[in-house]
Amino acid sequence: MDNDPELDPIRKEVDEDSLLEDLADEFVNGDPDDALARAEELGYDIDDLPL
């Protein structure tokens, strides 16, 4: 596995984008109350999600 420090910010951004997409999908297709609780637990506001 490549642990190049220059890639860490890129990985973090991709991981965060993926997480926000997962949370948005959970809001739309799952239980919105659970999704909201999970987002708040992770420090995100509903306005941060790509809805």
Side-chain angles (χ1 to χ4, degrees):
M1 186 168 154
D2 188 10
N3 289 325
D4 187 354
E6 292 180 16
L7 296 178
D8 286 346
I10 295 169
R11 285 187 186 127
K12 180 180 177 187
E13 185 174 324
V14 169
D15 289 345
E16 186 173 6
D17 289 346
S18 177
L19 174 63
L20 293 175
E21 287 177 12
D22 287 347
L23 287 170
D25 184 55
E26 192 173 340
F27 267 103
V28 174
N29 298 317
D31 183 352
D33 292 332
D34 286 345
L36 181 60
R38 183 172 170 223
E40 288 175 349
E41 180 179 301
L42 295 170
Y44 293 104
D45 187 81
I46 191 167
D47 295 329
D48 296 332
L49 303 178
L51 298 174

